[in-house]
Amino acid sequence: MTLTLSHKDVENLTLTFTTEFAASVDRVWQVWEDPRQLERWWGPPTVPATFTKLEFSPEGDARYFMTMPDGSRAYGWWRILAVHAPHRLEFEDGFSDDSGEPVDSTDFATCAVTLETVENGTRMTLVNTFKSAEQLDEMMKMGMEEGMAEALGQIDAILAESSVSR
């Protein structure tokens, strides 16, 4: 995987990641739609994710938690807005309590994932859009940019495996 771009745009309230993989669009799509593959990379290596629910369809919900190095957990939720397999996924992402319910259903960011065929495989672009400069700044302080770069760095190993051996 090559992290070709990580760009914070305060004016447009976005944080964008662009990566390229030596795999087909269909194969890269699987790391999103299969919860067992998704949880192997959604989060940096030291903060693994566990998905307890993934309804991979428009208006579907996802619930997950990330286990911190000290054993504590941070909980999150997604509301899936659009699924256009295998090229586009859009979802809202926010913090939840330990039962999976949003802590504040109005405090979330939106993520748009686009997969496109390029010469050597697939380009995946994630555009995270925030509601305010303060929200973007808070996520940056929490290490989102570094954590997402580390998380994305785990996808190559998953893609190298046969899609049958999930």
Side-chain angles (χ1 to χ4, degrees), residues 32-33 35 38 51-64 76-83 89-93 100-102 105:
W32 286 97
E33 73 178 350
L38 180 60
F51 277 77
T52 58
K53 179 180 184 181
L54 181 60
E55 297 170 339
F56 202 75
S57 61
E59 299 185 29
D61 290 318
R63 299 292 185 264
Y64 66 94
W77 61 270
W78 290 357
R79 182 174 28 252
I80 298 179
L81 304 173
V83 177
L89 168 66
E90 297 174 35
F91 59 93
E92 296 170 342
D93 184 17
E101 292 305 310
S105 62

Side-chain angles (χ1 to χ4, degrees), residues 6 8 21 40 43 46 59 66 85 113 122 124 128 140 147 150-151 155:
S6 171
K8 179 175 99 171
F21 301 101
R40 290 177 57 200
T46 59
E59 299 185 29
M66 300 175 82
V113 181
T122 299
M124 180 169 73
N128 298 278
M140 295 298 287
E150 289 179 18
I155 295 176

Side-chain angles (χ1 to χ4, degrees), residues 63-126:
R63 299 292 185 264
Y64 66 94
F65 61 87
M66 300 175 82
T67 304
M68 303 300 157
D70 67 3
S72 64
R73 293 179 174 177
Y75 295 86
W77 61 270
W78 290 357
R79 182 174 28 252
I80 298 179
L81 304 173
V83 177
H84 302 287
H87 296 285
R88 188 153 174 93
L89 168 66
E90 297 174 35
F91 59 93
E92 296 170 342
D93 184 17
F95 296 106
S96 69
D97 60 25
D98 60 4
S99 70
E101 292 305 310
V103 172
D104 178 349
S105 62
T106 65
D107 184 22
F108 59 85
T110 302
C111 183
V113 181
T114 305
L115 302 178
E116 59 188 321
T117 300
V118 293
E119 184 177 338
N120 295 318
T122 299
R123 177 176 299 129
M124 180 169 73
T125 305
L126 286 79

Side-chain angles (χ1 to χ4, degrees), residues 27 34-45 48-49 51 151 154-155 157-158 161 165-166:
R27 178 64 185 106
D34 177 355
R36 301 297 72 91
Q37 291 183 60
L38 180 60
E39 67 189 8
R40 290 177 57 200
W41 71 269
W42 186 256
F51 277 77
Q154 301 173 103
I155 295 176
I158 299 166
E161 300 169 0
S165 64
R166 298 189 249 167

Side-chain angles (χ1 to χ4, degrees), residues 122-138:
T122 299
R123 177 176 299 129
M124 180 169 73
T125 305
L126 286 79
V127 179
N128 298 278
T129 304
F130 300 90
K131 292 187 170 195
S132 66
E134 294 77 21
Q135 185 188 42
L136 171 57
D137 186 54
E138 185 63 29

